Amino acid sequence: MFVLLPPSETKAPGGDGPALDLSTLSLPSLTDTRKRLVTALVELADDPDAAMAALKLGPRQAGEVERDRRLWESPTLPALDRYTGVLFDALDAPSFTDAQRRRAAARLGVGSALFGALRAGDMIPAYRLSAASRLPGMGTLAAQWKPDLAEAIRAAADGGLIVDLRSGGYRALGPVPEAVTATVLTEMPDGTRKVVSHFNKHHKGLLARALATAPAAPSDLDGVAHAAESAGLRAEITGARELAVITA
């Protein structure tokens, strides 16, 4: 099973790993595209005004450009520890036991505008690039990733189940139509259901935790629903490859 999480705009600072080495990252078929994008992002960061415009950053986010300028030399952290925010707080990787950490390393991945997709243990620096960004002279990021990303994700799953929890913008970089997807729906007092962004991220993090730490990796949609329910989530199968997590 390969569970693909969305990334976060926020990243943990620092790290104690060596500088970025693309040859050590998982999904090696993506190396050429990664190198092209990292090189372009570093070059863009040499012009802070242009970088802030391209990345749609405000004045208080100037430090993000400096992170990009130092991509080749900054210390690294495992992807599982680099990304932060609501989903990753709910995943709560720091609380994993050693056995759970090993399972997570084997099962979890993170979608990325810069790296395409990563495994949980891949060592990466802090950076800023979102799926909607456009690097000068390169068109959309979807155009950069679409030829190779979906096949790389399939290869990472090695014939097993793919659970795609990426948000729409990141899913579009490398669509995998056969993957299981999950939607978080908040049930209102009148019985209607709707997507609420905060609860969507939080409960996807809880679902990812359930899948990452389950003693046996699910092999189909029923197994995903069972793992969710075993972790205390309310899950409903809503389609051939679709799961809904319901929260009040």
Side-chain angles (χ1 to χ4, degrees), residues 40-181:
L41 192 56
V42 171
E43 291 176 353
L44 175 64
D46 282 336
D47 184 340
D49 290 339
M52 291 181 70
L55 302 176
K56 299 179 180 178
L57 300 176
R60 295 184 180 180
Q61 297 171 299
E64 301 284 351
V65 176
E66 179 62 16
R67 282 181 166 183
D68 286 347
R69 191 184 69 81
R70 294 175 52 83
L71 272 171
W72 289 120
E73 57 196 73
S74 294
T76 55
L77 281 173
L80 192 60
D81 302 315
R82 178 63 74 191
Y83 295 98
T84 62
V86 174
L87 186 149
F88 291 91
D89 286 346
L91 177 64
D92 195 15
S95 73
F96 287 170
T97 65
D98 289 345
Q100 289 172 335
R101 184 91 184 185
R102 287 192 294 271
R103 291 175 195 148
R107 299 174 188 175
L108 292 184
V110 184
S112 168
L114 184 59
F115 299 110
L118 300 158
R119 286 195 180 277
D122 283 333
M123 302 294 290
I124 58 169
Y127 68 91
R128 183 61 177 251
L129 185 70
S130 68
S133 300
R134 281 179 177 252
L135 297 177
M138 300 188 76
T140 66
L141 291 174
Q144 300 295 318
W145 285 119
K146 272 187 178 178
D148 303 308
L149 181 52
E151 287 306 313
I153 292 169
R154 293 184 180 103
D158 194 24
L161 181 70
I162 300 170
V163 181
D164 192 350
L165 301 182
R166 293 176 296 172
S167 54
Y170 286 91
R171 198 175 297 167
L173 300 181
V176 185
E178 70 273 22
V180 167
T181 60

Side-chain angles (χ1 to χ4, degrees), residues 2-68:
F2 190 46
V3 182
L4 199 53
L5 306 177
S8 59
E9 295 290 354
T10 55
K11 315 288 190 302
D16 54 10
L20 177 63
D21 181 352
L22 297 179
S23 70
T24 67
L25 299 183
S26 304
L27 289 69
S29 64
L30 304 178
T31 299
D32 288 347
T33 304
R34 290 165 171 163
K35 183 176 181 180
R36 185 166 64 248
L37 291 176
V38 171
T39 300
L41 192 56
V42 171
E43 291 176 353
L44 175 64
D46 282 336
D47 184 340
D49 290 339
M52 291 181 70
L55 302 176
K56 299 179 180 178
L57 300 176
R60 295 184 180 180
Q61 297 171 299
E64 301 284 351
V65 176
E66 179 62 16
R67 282 181 166 183
D68 286 347

